[in-house]
Amino acid sequence: MTIFSKHYFVCANSAKGFQNFFPSNLKSLNKIYILKGGPGTGKSSLMKKIGTALEEKEYSVEYIHCSSDPDSLDGLICRTLSIGIVDGTSPHVVEPTAPGAIEEYINLGIAWNIEELSKHKKEILYLQEEIAACYPKAYEKFAEALAIHDEWEKIYIDHMNFKKANVLTQEVISEILGATQLSKRSTIMHRFFGGSTPKGAFDFVPDLIEPMKKRYFIKGRPGSGKSTLLKKLLATAQLRGLDVEVYHCGFDPDSLDMLIIPELEVCIFDSTSPHEYFPKREDDHTIDMYKQLISPDTDLTYEKELAHISKRYKFCVKEGLSHLTYAKMLHDDLEKYYIDATDFTILDDIYTHLMKHITSRILPLK
């Protein structure tokens, strides 16, 4: 049996502030463990360790990565066991639906040496204030970039054939969904296609699309209708009872970048910069929105204007990312104080206790 793990984001540092899609991904789970504790208390390490143990027992695991540090985890889900483990600290606070019955809090802060942390109160408070100041600055720059991106889109929107766009959209919907109609309510899960991170634009697209039998790569320019096509396909799939994984743009959460329809083993996604990928299989499909819908001389006619817009846009994005990078550096400094004051034998005991819960209370592992 082939086991596929998934990696994705459900939170984003976007042009519209911090965004959180945890609820749609957790709502069907029978048990959710919410981890509490400050930086450096091993929340991510604990989830990685449990994920590895479950994969070794041939369970599929979903790893939810942190948009402020993609090497760290915000959460872990094993749908076969109907369990989730999430970082319940700010800003990705998970609101419980049935405390005790579904959600259970686990306090990793019990491993701290409080006296040791108290010695560094001044430094800790300073770092927390500096980190908190970074994010509004990043969001402001991303918002400026989004406004510039709207200028970029307008040029192509003004030269689009909307009649052809509607025809193309219906053709794509028909090709992907066919006559499929399921007699059930669809389940929609909202996630992020990628993220604006201290590492720059970051995504897990290759891993997400690898298991899909049919893959559609959408090419085009800003404003060429890629997101609109995906939204119309999503609406139709939902009406037909199909489950859909909806991947929003990490920069503009109102825009869609990818849909995965597991029951059809199909994915369709925006395959343009900064997440540009190319077909590798014979049965991969390319949908070129620019070639089919935009006046052919648009790029050439507006070459200077587009180059200027692109330069301004990239500058604002770079400025925004610099604030995230600085926040990550400060966060690493903050973590050191907590790591030095943490008794990791207590964290090992918490891991053992949690694994017993997972293996005995939810579903015995084979």
Side-chain angles (χ1 to χ4, degrees), residues 191-203:
R191 298 165 182 169
F192 285 102
F193 187 65
S196 299
T197 78
K199 291 187 172 186
F202 194 94
D203 65 64

PDB file of all heavy atoms in Angstrom, residues 191-203:
ATOM      1  N   ARG A 191      -7.417  26.019   1.933  1.00  0.00           N
ATOM      2  CA  ARG A 191      -6.001  26.047   2.275  1.00  0.00           C
ATOM      3  C   ARG A 191      -5.318  27.133   1.457  1.00  0.00           C
ATOM      4  O   ARG A 191      -5.969  27.834   0.687  1.00  0.00           O
ATOM      5  CB  ARG A 191      -5.378  24.674   1.970  1.00  0.00           C
ATOM      6  CG  ARG A 191      -5.992  23.554   2.804  1.00  0.00           C
ATOM      7  CD  ARG A 191      -5.656  22.182   2.275  1.00  0.00           C
ATOM      8  NE  ARG A 191      -6.303  21.148   3.084  1.00  0.00           N
ATOM      9  CZ  ARG A 191      -6.366  19.858   2.759  1.00  0.00           C
ATOM     10  NH1 ARG A 191      -5.830  19.442   1.632  1.00  0.00           N
ATOM     11  NH2 ARG A 191      -6.964  19.006   3.569  1.00  0.00           N
ATOM     12  N   PHE A 192      -4.006  27.222   1.619  1.00  0.00           N
ATOM     13  CA  PHE A 192      -3.243  28.177   0.824  1.00  0.00           C
ATOM     14  C   PHE A 192      -2.294  27.442  -0.108  1.00  0.00           C
ATOM     15  O   PHE A 192      -1.648  26.470   0.277  1.00  0.00           O
ATOM     16  CB  PHE A 192      -2.474  29.151   1.723  1.00  0.00           C
ATOM     17  CG  PHE A 192      -3.363  30.190   2.339  1.00  0.00           C
ATOM     18  CD1 PHE A 192      -3.775  30.079   3.658  1.00  0.00           C
ATOM     19  CD2 PHE A 192      -3.819  31.268   1.589  1.00  0.00           C
ATOM     20  CE1 PHE A 192      -4.621  31.020   4.226  1.00  0.00           C
ATOM     21  CE2 PHE A 192      -4.660  32.217   2.142  1.00  0.00           C
ATOM     22  CZ  PHE A 192      -5.071  32.100   3.461  1.00  0.00           C
ATOM     23  N   PHE A 193      -2.248  27.933  -1.336  1.00  0.00           N
ATOM     24  CA  PHE A 193      -1.433  27.336  -2.393  1.00  0.00           C
ATOM     25  C   PHE A 193       0.053  27.457  -2.068  1.00  0.00           C
ATOM     26  O   PHE A 193       0.856  26.592  -2.376  1.00  0.00           O
ATOM     27  CB  PHE A 193      -1.752  28.058  -3.704  1.00  0.00           C
ATOM     28  CG  PHE A 193      -1.126  27.454  -4.926  1.00  0.00           C
ATOM     29  CD1 PHE A 193      -1.481  26.191  -5.349  1.00  0.00           C
ATOM     30  CD2 PHE A 193      -0.209  28.178  -5.676  1.00  0.00           C
ATOM     31  CE1 PHE A 193      -0.932  25.641  -6.494  1.00  0.00           C
ATOM     32  CE2 PHE A 193       0.348  27.636  -6.823  1.00  0.00           C
ATOM     33  CZ  PHE A 193      -0.016  26.372  -7.237  1.00  0.00           C
ATOM     34  N   GLY A 194       0.411  28.563  -1.458  1.00  0.00           N
ATOM     35  CA  GLY A 194       1.783  28.828  -1.062  1.00  0.00           C
ATOM     36  C   GLY A 194       1.778  29.913  -0.011  1.00  0.00           C
ATOM     37  O   GLY A 194       0.727  30.260   0.532  1.00  0.00           O
ATOM     38  N   GLY A 195       2.934  30.463   0.251  1.00  0.00           N
ATOM     39  CA  GLY A 195       2.986  31.497   1.267  1.00  0.00           C
ATOM     40  C   GLY A 195       4.110  32.482   1.019  1.00  0.00           C
ATOM     41  O   GLY A 195       5.125  32.156   0.395  1.00  0.00           O
ATOM     42  N   SER A 196       3.895  33.721   1.484  1.00  0.00           N
ATOM     43  CA  SER A 196       4.964  34.709   1.528  1.00  0.00           C
ATOM     44  C   SER A 196       5.698  34.476   2.839  1.00  0.00           C
ATOM     45  O   SER A 196       5.168  34.748   3.913  1.00  0.00           O
ATOM     46  CB  SER A 196       4.388  36.128   1.477  1.00  0.00           C
ATOM     47  OG  SER A 196       3.678  36.340   0.277  1.00  0.00           O
ATOM     48  N   THR A 197       6.886  33.947   2.753  1.00  0.00           N
ATOM     49  CA  THR A 197       7.612  33.494   3.937  1.00  0.00           C
ATOM     50  C   THR A 197       8.979  34.160   4.013  1.00  0.00           C
ATOM     51  O   THR A 197       9.423  34.798   3.051  1.00  0.00           O
ATOM     52  CB  THR A 197       7.810  31.964   3.903  1.00  0.00           C
ATOM     53  OG1 THR A 197       8.899  31.660   3.004  1.00  0.00           O
ATOM     54  CG2 THR A 197       6.557  31.248   3.429  1.00  0.00           C
ATOM     55  N   PRO A 198       9.685  34.003   5.135  1.00  0.00           N
ATOM     56  CA  PRO A 198      11.055  34.519   5.212  1.00  0.00           C
ATOM     57  C   PRO A 198      11.969  33.922   4.143  1.00  0.00           C
ATOM     58  O   PRO A 198      13.027  34.470   3.846  1.00  0.00           O
ATOM     59  CB  PRO A 198      11.507  34.106   6.615  1.00  0.00           C
ATOM     60  CG  PRO A 198      10.237  34.031   7.396  1.00  0.00           C
ATOM     61  CD  PRO A 198       9.217  33.495   6.437  1.00  0.00           C
ATOM     62  N   LYS A 199      11.561  32.794   3.562  1.00  0.00           N
ATOM     63  CA  LYS A 199      12.324  32.174   2.471  1.00  0.00           C
ATOM     64  C   LYS A 199      11.890  32.696   1.104  1.00  0.00           C
ATOM     65  O   LYS A 199      12.351  32.215   0.076  1.00  0.00           O
ATOM     66  CB  LYS A 199      12.139  30.653   2.498  1.00  0.00           C
ATOM     67  CG  LYS A 199      12.781  29.960   3.677  1.00  0.00           C
ATOM     68  CD  LYS A 199      12.678  28.454   3.522  1.00  0.00           C
ATOM     69  CE  LYS A 199      13.482  27.736   4.596  1.00  0.00           C
ATOM     70  NZ  LYS A 199      13.505  26.268   4.390  1.00  0.00           N
ATOM     71  N   GLY A 200      10.968  33.659   1.102  1.00  0.00           N
ATOM     72  CA  GLY A 200      10.393  34.140  -0.149  1.00  0.00           C
ATOM     73  C   GLY A 200       9.109  33.381  -0.450  1.00  0.00           C
ATOM     74  O   GLY A 200       8.510  32.758   0.435  1.00  0.00           O
ATOM     75  N   ALA A 201       8.674  33.413  -1.712  1.00  0.00           N
ATOM     76  CA  ALA A 201       7.482  32.653  -2.103  1.00  0.00           C
ATOM     77  C   ALA A 201       7.800  31.166  -1.985  1.00  0.00           C
ATOM     78  O   ALA A 201       8.805  30.685  -2.503  1.00  0.00           O
ATOM     79  CB  ALA A 201       7.076  33.010  -3.526  1.00  0.00           C
ATOM     80  N   PHE A 202       6.925  30.432  -1.306  1.00  0.00           N
ATOM     81  CA  PHE A 202       7.218  29.032  -0.975  1.00  0.00           C
ATOM     82  C   PHE A 202       5.948  28.213  -1.151  1.00  0.00           C
ATOM     83  O   PHE A 202       4.865  28.642  -0.767  1.00  0.00           O
ATOM     84  CB  PHE A 202       7.714  28.944   0.470  1.00  0.00           C
ATOM     85  CG  PHE A 202       8.359  27.634   0.832  1.00  0.00           C
ATOM     86  CD1 PHE A 202       9.732  27.474   0.742  1.00  0.00           C
ATOM     87  CD2 PHE A 202       7.589  26.565   1.273  1.00  0.00           C
ATOM     88  CE1 PHE A 202      10.330  26.263   1.079  1.00  0.00           C
ATOM     89  CE2 PHE A 202       8.175  25.358   1.615  1.00  0.00           C
ATOM     90  CZ  PHE A 202       9.554  25.205   1.520  1.00  0.00           C
ATOM     91  N   ASP A 203       6.067  27.025  -1.747  1.00  0.00           N
ATOM     92  CA  ASP A 203       4.881  26.168  -1.904  1.00  0.00           C
ATOM     93  C   ASP A 203       5.277  24.693  -1.881  1.00  0.00           C
ATOM     94  O   ASP A 203       6.460  24.348  -1.940  1.00  0.00           O
ATOM     95  CB  ASP A 203       4.133  26.507  -3.202  1.00  0.00           C
ATOM     96  CG  ASP A 203       4.931  26.201  -4.455  1.00  0.00           C
ATOM     97  OD1 ASP A 203       5.223  25.016  -4.703  1.00  0.00           O
ATOM     98  OD2 ASP A 203       5.269  27.146  -5.203  1.00  0.00           O
TER      99      ASP A 203
END
